[in-house]
Amino acid sequence: ENGDLVDADLNKTPPPKYLTDCLDLLRASESDENAHNMHEVALKHLPQLVRMRPLDLPRLAHDLAFQLLRMEDKFHTDNFSELVSTGLLTLAAEEPVSVGRMIVSEVFGDMTLVDRLNGLQALEQAAMELAWLGDKPTCPDGMYQKALKSTSDAEEQRNEAMNGSITSKFGLRVVSTRMRRSKRSAAKSSINHFSDIGPLWFYMMLKNFLNTKTNKRIWGGHIGATFLARLIHTLTVCVECSRFTREQSMMASDLIDLSWELCDADIVSVRSSSLFAVAVSIGHLEERKAIDMITSLGLNERLSEVALTDSDDECRKLANYMLSSTKQLIESTEPLIQME
């Protein structure tokens, strides 16, 4: 009999047929006696509705994602975090411009660490899906046409983020000329739907980081360090997923400039994520550019020190791996450089 009562309670709220229904259910006040069931039903059915790409998705995606990002588990819903993460991922993958802008803006605002990490995780998962490094997109190519404008938007974001005052303050260099397209682009075997989105997300995050870097409320203590480590990881994912584009080399160079200064951080998670960022980014530079950066930063000397003296085993292992890779790169290109 109790089981029947539970089943009856779960059936109080019919499945939503439209995105507007989902939004209304997610916005249900906690004072509503059926609010728990309304929230749960909306969370479970939202991804499927979003994947169908109804006509009102572009108009409602921002508000739906905002509602999810700010949602609290006040009713101890089963698998609440997973449901919210799936919803955010789906919205970010299907409407990457509007939802991406919103998430990037919000995670640097007034919210809990958990919400910030959920937002960054959604961006990472969506980036991998759009780049086909995770699940392949299930929607037609036409949905991505609006993203074509994002590359020029990203240029504006980068120019603003990397202006003279910020450059001198934080030691970031402006790359005055565009990198030539990597030779690896010739091996392109699939469409990368993230290529136009990646620079936009990357430079929006970089800009917000630089603008808030002195804000102790965001970056202070262990909570701030945890957020910073995850942010660097998300930036690294953006670089990795932007393959086959000329912007990837530019992004990789800027990420190295940012991360290298943090490889000496006191917090292990920040050191390891920064080393990982440099390791990934070096691999996306043209060989001559990579050699120049390794030399100018004194990268191998510092990596040798980390490999021997860092207190964290994973940092030492990563430094050793990077050291081996950079030495091989230098040795393999030295004959070519001498011939020039």
Side-chain angles (χ1 to χ4, degrees):
E1 184 175 350
N2 289 338
D4 293 338
L5 291 175
V6 172
D7 291 339
D9 182 65
L10 289 175
N11 291 325
K12 281 183 180 179
T13 304
K17 295 182 178 180
Y18 306 102
L19 291 179
T20 51
D21 298 335
C22 268
L23 188 57
D24 289 340
L25 293 176
L26 291 173
R27 287 173 170 172
S29 172
E30 59 183 292
S31 61
D32 190 308
E33 63 179 3
N34 198 31
H36 181 194
N37 182 235
M38 296 167 76
H39 290 172
E40 186 173 14
V41 168
L43 288 170
K44 288 182 176 179
H45 288 85
L46 177 61
Q48 181 180 1
L49 286 174
V50 171
R51 293 297 189 186
M52 294 172 65
R53 291 204 54 79
L55 293 177
D56 56 355
L57 177 60
R59 177 173 60 86
L60 295 176
H62 175 284
D63 291 346
L64 285 164
F66 180 85
Q67 195 68 32
L68 290 178
L69 193 59
R70 292 288 185 169
M71 201 167 184
E72 299 180 36
D73 185 17
K74 294 185 176 181
F75 301 104
H76 305 290
T77 302
D78 291 340
N79 302 317
F80 176 81
S81 295
E82 181 180 347
L83 291 170
V84 170
S85 295
T86 302
L88 281 173
L89 157 64
T90 306
L91 288 162
E94 299 293 344
E95 288 294 326
V97 177
S98 63
V99 174
R101 286 181 183 275
M102 185 280 297
I103 292 178
V104 171
S105 176
E106 289 298 314
V107 296
F108 288 91
D110 185 15
M111 60 168 43
T112 66
L113 175 63
V114 172
D115 290 338
R116 288 191 177 112
L117 299 183
N118 285 340
L120 293 179
Q121 180 183 30
L123 293 181
E124 293 175 12
Q125 292 174 336
M128 289 187 287
E129 176 179 321
L130 292 171
W132 288 20
L133 296 181
D135 295 330
K136 292 185 177 181
T138 58
C139 302
D141 291 346
M143 64 163 283
Y144 297 100
Q145 292 304 309
K146 65 159 57 180
L148 295 178
K149 179 177 177 293
S150 66
T151 299
S152 60
D153 290 345
E155 290 288 343
E156 294 178 7
Q157 292 286 345
R158 182 177 189 275
N159 290 338
E160 189 170 350
M162 310 287 282
N163 64 42
S165 60
I166 293 178
T167 299
S168 61
K169 185 173 182 180
F170 297 108
L172 296 173
R173 296 195 304 273
V174 176
V175 180
S176 58
T177 57
R178 288 179 177 272
M179 302 295 178
R180 296 192 305 273
R181 186 180 295 273
S182 169
K183 294 179 180 178
R184 285 174 296 221
S185 63
K188 181 177 179 180
S189 59
S190 62
I191 297 174
N192 182 357
H193 293 300
F194 188 67
S195 60
D196 294 307
I197 301 299
L200 179 66
W201 286 7
F202 181 91
Y203 286 109
M204 283 184 64
M205 285 187 281
L206 181 58
K207 173 187 173 183
N208 278 288
F209 169 68
L210 295 176
N211 286 343
T212 63
K213 190 175 181 181
T214 58
N215 189 331
K216 294 182 179 180
R217 180 179 56 81
I218 297 177
W219 304 108
H222 177 72
I223 290 177
T226 303
F227 179 35
L228 178 58
R230 190 53 186 255
L231 174 64
I232 295 170
H233 186 271
T234 306
L235 291 169
T236 306
V237 171
C238 285
V239 170
E240 176 65 25
C241 291
S242 297
R243 65 194 191 284
F244 312 134
T245 67
R246 65 174 179 267
E247 288 81 15
Q248 186 183 42
S249 179
M250 178 176 69
M251 293 160 62
S253 179
D254 291 338
L255 182 56
I256 291 172
D257 283 336
L258 173 67
S259 302
W260 187 242
E261 296 184 358
L262 298 171
C263 290
D264 293 326
D266 294 333
I267 306 298
V268 171
S269 60
V270 176
R271 288 205 308 278
S272 61
S273 63
S274 298
L275 285 168
F276 179 68
V278 174
V280 171
S281 298
I282 284 286
H284 292 301
L285 297 178
E286 292 182 347
E287 291 179 345
R288 187 57 183 266
K289 173 68 176 178
I291 297 288
D292 290 344
M293 186 158 280
I294 290 170
T295 302
S296 64
L297 294 177
L299 192 141
N300 281 355
E301 292 79 1
R302 178 64 185 124
L303 288 176
S304 297
E305 183 181 350
V306 172
L308 290 173
T309 64
D310 197 279
S311 61
D312 181 70
D313 183 57
E314 291 302 317
C315 286
R316 294 196 300 272
K317 289 180 179 178
L318 183 54
N320 271 312
Y321 168 79
M322 294 171 64
L323 195 58
S324 174
S325 298
T326 55
K327 286 182 177 179
Q328 289 178 15
L329 174 62
I330 293 173
E331 291 172 358
S332 66
T333 58
E334 190 173 10
L336 297 176
I337 295 175
Q338 291 176 350
M339 292 174 60
E340 294 181 356

